[in-house]
Amino acid sequence: MSDANTTPRVALVTGGSGGIGRAVSERLAADGFAVAVHYGGNARRAGQIVDEIVAGGGRAITVVGDVADEVGMAEAFDSVEAEFGGLDVVVNTAGIMVLSPVASLDLADLDRMHRTNVRGAFVVSRLAANRLRRGGALINVSTSQTRLQHPTYAAYAASKAAVESLTLVLARELRGKDITVNAIAPGPTATPLFLDGKDEHTVERLAGPAPLERLGTPEDIAEVAAFLAGPGRWINGQVVFPNGGIA
């Protein structure tokens, strides 16, 4: 993953202190990337991830910012470029999920989700479109719920459907810049956030529909992100569904 000058490629992972974000940060570091682990509120956990990457011989820093705040995120991008000299890959894992039937949905929750998931995706994508070096990649994160239509997921799935549309259009808009733009849409994945509050029976029920008969792991998702960030240069303007065949 290094060029002739042994300069590592550089990645920014938004939401890098979360379950999938952490796995992506660690996988890209293992692939030789210098990694900026972004966090919105959990500085301690982001710092632990950086410490582990550095202890393993990698290069990593933390950056902070509200993904929906264009000024704060521009400063985060500035910090990455100042530390590592440029930016090649952005993996935008930051997002929130609130579940509710449509009939009883609290519109404040809808607004909060859309601020982070939709506006945040636009802010990060716009910055990436202007900052990534040639040969770079932007990878947004959606969800397989845009296809599964499970009850209580309407507001969350709607916010992620917007992310998919943004991704597909932006890939065409960046013609001539040699930057790929794709989305990953995971199925049920065993992150701490996903497992919180679920008993063993519920987890088994959610794992059942996949032909592989298990939940995904954060590492499964990181594998796809690493491919799109590195060798998968001919995949562009696509939504990839790492979900074990559930949809």
Side-chain angles (χ1 to χ4, degrees):
M1 299 303 298
S2 299
D3 62 21
N5 297 318
T6 69
T7 301
R9 280 163 58 82
V10 178
L12 166 63
V13 182
T14 73
S17 63
I20 290 175
R22 177 174 192 147
V24 171
S25 298
E26 292 173 344
R27 173 56 193 266
L28 293 180
D31 284 351
F33 281 81
V35 179
V37 179
H38 162 271
Y39 67 95
N42 200 325
R44 181 185 61 82
R45 190 161 58 192
Q48 288 175 342
I49 297 167
V50 166
D51 289 345
E52 291 170 5
I53 290 172
V54 172
R59 297 179 66 194
I61 60 170
T62 62
V63 293
V64 64
D66 174 356
V67 289
D69 176 5
E70 65 271 28
V71 174
M73 287 308 296
E75 292 173 352
F77 274 67
D78 290 343
S79 296
V80 178
E81 292 174 341
E83 179 70 21
F84 297 127
L87 184 58
D88 302 288
V89 171
V90 172
V91 186
N92 186 30
T93 77
I96 60 174
M97 179 173 65
V98 180
L99 303 182
S100 170
V102 172
S104 55
L105 175 66
D106 185 335
L107 294 180
D109 287 335
L110 177 70
D111 291 342
R112 186 160 58 91
M113 254 192 303
H114 276 237
R115 184 178 188 278
T116 297
N117 296 357
V118 180
R119 179 184 170 89
F122 269 85
V123 167
V124 172
S125 296
R126 186 174 70 164
L127 284 163
N130 287 294
R131 301 287 194 100
L132 287 173
R133 295 186 284 210
R134 292 187 67 83
L138 167 62
I139 304 159
N140 285 318
V141 174
S142 178
T143 173
S144 287
Q145 287 297 336
T146 59
R147 304 295 186 271
L148 296 173
Q149 294 97 38
H150 286 157
T152 75
Y153 279 89
Y156 176 67
S159 73
K160 290 301 189 176
V163 172
E164 291 184 13
S165 294
L166 158 66
T167 298
L168 300 182
V169 172
L170 182 57
R172 277 74 185 174
E173 291 180 346
L174 295 187
R175 173 184 291 273
K177 290 194 172 184
D178 192 24
I179 295 170
T180 61
V181 186
N182 294 288
I184 297 173
T189 303
T191 64
L193 178 64
F194 177 84
L195 295 173
D196 184 41
K198 294 182 175 69
D199 59 26
E200 184 176 349
H201 174 74
T202 300
V203 172
E204 289 178 355
R205 177 176 58 81
L206 292 169
L212 297 178
E213 298 184 312
R214 66 172 177 87
L215 294 177
T217 67
E219 291 73 24
D220 290 325
I221 312 308
E223 189 83 17
V224 179
F227 181 71
L228 295 175
R233 296 296 303 166
W234 196 233
I235 300 175
N236 188 32
Q238 304 297 319
V239 181
V240 182
F241 291 84
N243 57 31
I246 195 172

